[in-house]
Amino acid sequence: MPASRRFRKSALSCQPDDYQAIAGAMACESNLVKDHVMEAFVVFTREETTDPHELATYSAGVGPSFDGHDVTFLAAYGAMEQLEGPPIEGAVILRFPTMQAAHDWYHSPAYQTIAAHRFAGSRYRGFIVEGRK
């Protein structure tokens, strides 16, 4: 698609105009994304294990950090197919009801205490992304 063809959301229809393909497609499909309840997804990809003992300590202790948080495990180190980029060792996808809920869990003292073992035992990438419910 040429750079000039982009998606634009409007109250009546979606026109090629602004190149935010995925967000634009979501807006087209829902007409206005803001009218829908948005969930948040925490995604972690493990790029490299550097200390298996530290990572095992993290894995054994991370469970209680979820207590009191509304979280659903969508994927955790299951079978995967690498489509793009450098290979990863595994991935985790967590669903929270809101961006704030995901943020609250990630930055909670319970999670940050145990996450120190993950940081010491591996290289990960992690992010929170908002998505439509």
Side-chain angles (χ1 to χ4, degrees):
M1 179 183 296
S4 62
R5 291 197 45 125
R6 300 174 185 243
F7 291 98
R8 180 186 71 205
K9 66 182 179 187
S10 72
L12 300 175
S13 66
C14 290
Q15 305 293 324
D17 189 42
D18 216 29
Y19 217 118
Q20 296 176 339
I22 293 174
M26 286 177 65
C28 289
E29 188 175 287
S30 67
N31 206 0
L32 292 174
V33 172
K34 67 180 177 127
D35 292 339
H36 292 276
V37 176
M38 301 297 280
E39 296 177 312
F41 301 88
V42 174
V43 179
F44 291 111
T45 60
R46 186 171 66 216
E47 297 182 354
E48 179 184 18
T49 299
T50 56
D51 184 336
H53 177 72
E54 286 287 347
L55 198 53
T57 300
Y58 167 78
S59 295
V62 71
S65 77
F66 297 107
D67 291 350
H69 295 276
D70 185 2
V71 59
T72 303
F73 292 77
L74 299 178
Y77 301 102
M80 59 182 207
E81 176 184 351
Q82 186 76 34
L83 298 175
E84 297 180 17
I88 61 172
E89 294 179 359
V92 173
I93 304 172
L94 308 172
R95 181 176 62 208
F96 289 84
T98 64
M99 289 286 281
Q100 187 62 52
H103 182 270
D104 290 348
W105 166 75
Y106 182 82
H107 293 286
S108 69
Y111 182 68
Q112 287 300 305
T113 298
I114 195 67
H117 295 284
R118 182 171 63 83
F119 302 147
S122 57
R123 286 189 321 106
Y124 271 78
R125 288 187 185 255
F127 57 91
I128 303 171
V129 61
E130 193 172 54
R132 194 173 56 173
K133 195 172 204 176

